Amino acid sequence: MASVIEQCQVAPSPGSAAELTLPLTYFDHGWLGFHRMRRILFYKLPISRPDFVQTIIPTLKDSLSLTLKHYIPLAGNVACPQDWSGYPELRYITGDSVSVIFSESDMDFNYLVGNHPRDANDFYHFIPQLAEPKDAPGFQLAPVLAIQVTLFPNHGISIGFTNHHVAGDGATIVKFVRAWALLNKFDGDEQFLDKEFIPFYDRSVIKDPNGVGMSIWDEMKKYKHMMTMSDIVTPPDKVRGTFIITRNDIGKLKNLILSRRPNLTHVTSFTVTCAYVWTCVIKSEAAIVEEIDENGMEFFGCAADCRAQFNPPLPPSYFGNALVGYVARTRHVDLAGKEGFIIAAELIGEAIQKRMKDEEWILSGSWFKEFGKVDEKRSVSVAGSPKLDLYAADFGWGRAEKLEFVSIDSGDSISMSLSKSKDSDGDLEIGLSLSKTRMNAFAAMFTHGISFL
């Protein structure tokens, strides 16, 4: 459990823009009905409660306020027309702020930051709840960010983030967290904010010649509950596990693929890691289900940053969503057999290779339609990216000890988190949330398969 020390609102620092409105693009609309994103960073820091209250809390509030001056939409709201006639938008006006909770917990810090299976419910004490939407003239306003900082006396600190995906993708949120960390570490000295951490807000750079934004918004309007999806629903009977796949293991997986499919051109660390996890997840189902439809379709979905795919490319610091999805699919029996990993790697690699430079596919919105054909109950998806290094967010306490994607608990699909390893460049860290029985089966298959490479 976590007991509240202080609950407050943190607004952008003086000198911020008085207001800012950003229209949503067709990259944003599809996330309106998506569950909220929840992450926790854990830091080892043997600090007492008095020190936490007197030094950590004031510094974090000051540096957050200064960071929000640059990331001002995160202090605002999603503004959705109450009659659904117009388009929603991101809107900040003076007086808007971010809800921040400072709390204390007596839970076992070392247990929480372990890799072994841990009760998924234990992590919900350390993530904040986004406030419910409120009514304004003609609009509903839903906050896009909330933060909770928890002290584990004499052991460490956690920082939990809950955000509305419509405000920005992983690249945007990670830049915000790392900017906050830099300003906290260097006492608010903005000289330490490199250009990459200064958001680019001009939405006119995203062209929509085919009216994709309107068609996606028309589709999303069917989900009238989308503005009230901020409730935290703790998962029943799930455990969280973390698995490390080393650079050496990844090299062996690549060699195995190329020995069987020498003509494959997209054999990357991402492809082989996802393929290996996908097949282990599929095979682990036998531990909890007696009968499986061998001819049933299985799906694998991942999203990729397409900022660089535009002509001209979008700036890397573009604030918002710029993700397109790739879907691979095949029969259950193909993945459960001896050649399952080879088939999975081939399918994922081909899906990415086919679409990664296809600007027409992006502009036509075909990627959104493709996700509509996926059976969520038979799909595995990816949260996070090895290209985004949240472990590097150093608030002055060193690198994070552990990153947890709490939101992989949500939804009907199985979602794996994927990030750079905390300790070693080139290694990857995989997070899963499964029933205990299935987690044990997955862990046995994952470890057994790696040992035979």
Side-chain angles (χ1 to χ4, degrees), residues 22-42:
L22 295 178
L24 299 189
T25 75
Y26 57 91
F27 287 120
D28 302 316
H29 285 144
W31 299 106
L32 281 163
F34 199 68
H35 61 73
R36 307 306 180 239
M37 303 304 294
R38 299 180 172 103
R39 304 170 180 85
I40 308 175
L41 284 167
F42 291 90

Side-chain angles (χ1 to χ4, degrees), residues 247-319:
R247 177 194 294 219
N248 188 43
D249 295 334
I250 291 169
K252 291 178 180 179
L253 289 173
K254 289 179 180 178
N255 290 336
L256 176 59
I257 292 292
L258 292 172
S259 70
R260 307 284 184 87
R261 299 287 194 275
N263 295 323
L264 278 187
T265 57
H266 197 79
V267 183
T268 66
S269 298
F270 178 87
T271 300
V272 300
T273 300
C274 290
Y276 187 65
V277 174
W278 189 20
T279 50
C280 289
V281 166
I282 293 301
K283 293 174 182 178
S284 71
E285 188 179 20
I288 60 169
V289 177
E290 290 185 7
E291 292 186 18
I292 300 173
D293 181 3
E294 291 194 341
N295 291 311
M297 294 300 293
E298 304 284 0
F299 302 85
F300 183 88
C302 58
D305 187 331
C306 64
R307 284 167 173 80
Q309 307 308 325
F310 280 86
N311 186 19
L314 302 181
S317 59
Y318 170 80
F319 181 100

Side-chain angles (χ1 to χ4, degrees), residues 254-432:
K254 289 179 180 178
N255 290 336
L256 176 59
I257 292 292
L258 292 172
S259 70
R260 307 284 184 87
R261 299 287 194 275
N263 295 323
L264 278 187
T265 57
H266 197 79
V267 183
T268 66
S269 298
F270 178 87
T271 300
V272 300
T273 300
C274 290
Y276 187 65
V277 174
W278 189 20
T279 50
C280 289
V281 166
I282 293 301
K283 293 174 182 178
S284 71
E285 188 179 20
I288 60 169
V289 177
E290 290 185 7
E291 292 186 18
I292 300 173
D293 181 3
E294 291 194 341
N295 291 311
M297 294 300 293
E298 304 284 0
F299 302 85
F300 183 88
C302 58
D305 187 331
C306 64
R307 284 167 173 80
Q309 307 308 325
F310 280 86
N311 186 19
L314 302 181
S317 59
Y318 170 80
F319 181 100
N321 290 284
L323 299 176
V324 291
Y326 305 121
V327 177
R329 68 197 78 203
T330 192
R331 297 181 305 159
H332 178 91
V333 67
D334 297 330
L335 297 174
K338 289 184 178 180
E339 291 283 295
F341 167 63
I342 307 297
I343 293 169
E346 187 173 23
L347 290 170
I348 295 172
E350 287 179 349
I352 295 173
Q353 182 74 17
K354 181 180 179 182
R355 302 300 189 190
M356 65 186 302
K357 295 183 180 179
D358 188 345
E359 186 176 4
E360 177 56 34
W361 185 72
I362 295 173
L363 292 173
S364 68
S366 298
W367 46 273
F368 181 77
K369 298 171 187 174
E370 191 167 359
F371 270 110
K373 301 172 185 176
V374 171
D375 180 355
E376 281 197 29
K377 294 181 179 179
R378 303 302 311 170
S379 71
V380 176
S381 59
V382 182
S385 167
K387 295 180 180 179
L388 306 175
D389 191 5
L390 257 181
Y391 276 112
D394 179 0
F395 285 80
W397 319 319
R399 285 176 66 84
E401 182 67 20
K402 192 68 187 293
L403 166 64
E404 290 286 348
F405 285 79
V406 178
S407 45
I408 63 172
D409 294 334
S410 304
D412 292 328
S413 67
I414 291 174
S415 184
M416 59 178 275
S417 65
L418 190 60
S419 62
K420 284 185 176 181
S421 170
K422 171 192 67 175
D423 298 316
S424 177
D425 192 31
D427 296 354
L428 297 179
E429 195 170 289
I430 299 146
L432 281 170

Side-chain angles (χ1 to χ4, degrees), residues 1-130:
M1 297 294 290
S3 57
V4 175
I5 296 174
E6 179 184 349
Q7 186 163 4
C8 60
Q9 300 292 131
V10 176
S13 62
S16 304
E19 59 183 59
L20 178 66
T21 298
L22 295 178
L24 299 189
T25 75
Y26 57 91
F27 287 120
D28 302 316
H29 285 144
W31 299 106
L32 281 163
F34 199 68
H35 61 73
R36 307 306 180 239
M37 303 304 294
R38 299 180 172 103
R39 304 170 180 85
I40 308 175
L41 284 167
F42 291 90
Y43 293 87
K44 279 194 172 178
L45 187 67
I47 190 170
S48 67
R49 176 179 169 133
D51 284 343
F52 179 70
V53 171
Q54 294 165 19
T55 62
I56 300 295
I57 289 179
T59 304
L60 283 176
K61 288 197 290 189
D62 288 346
S63 57
L64 175 59
S65 178
L66 191 56
T67 309
L68 289 172
K69 182 178 77 171
H70 299 283
Y71 289 82
I72 199 166
L74 295 180
N77 296 276
V78 182
C80 188
Q82 288 185 340
D83 61 3
W84 305 91
S85 58
Y87 286 108
E89 58 193 20
L90 285 180
R91 181 189 298 173
Y92 167 82
I93 59 173
T94 300
D96 288 343
S97 57
V98 173
S99 170
V100 183
I101 294 172
F102 294 96
S103 58
E104 178 182 10
S105 176
D106 59 1
M107 281 195 68
D108 186 338
F109 182 85
N110 292 323
Y111 160 81
L112 292 168
V113 300
N115 290 343
H116 61 283
R118 294 141 294 147
D119 189 333
N121 287 296
D122 287 340
F123 293 85
Y124 285 77
H125 303 298
F126 313 114
I127 54 171
Q129 173 95 21
L130 273 174

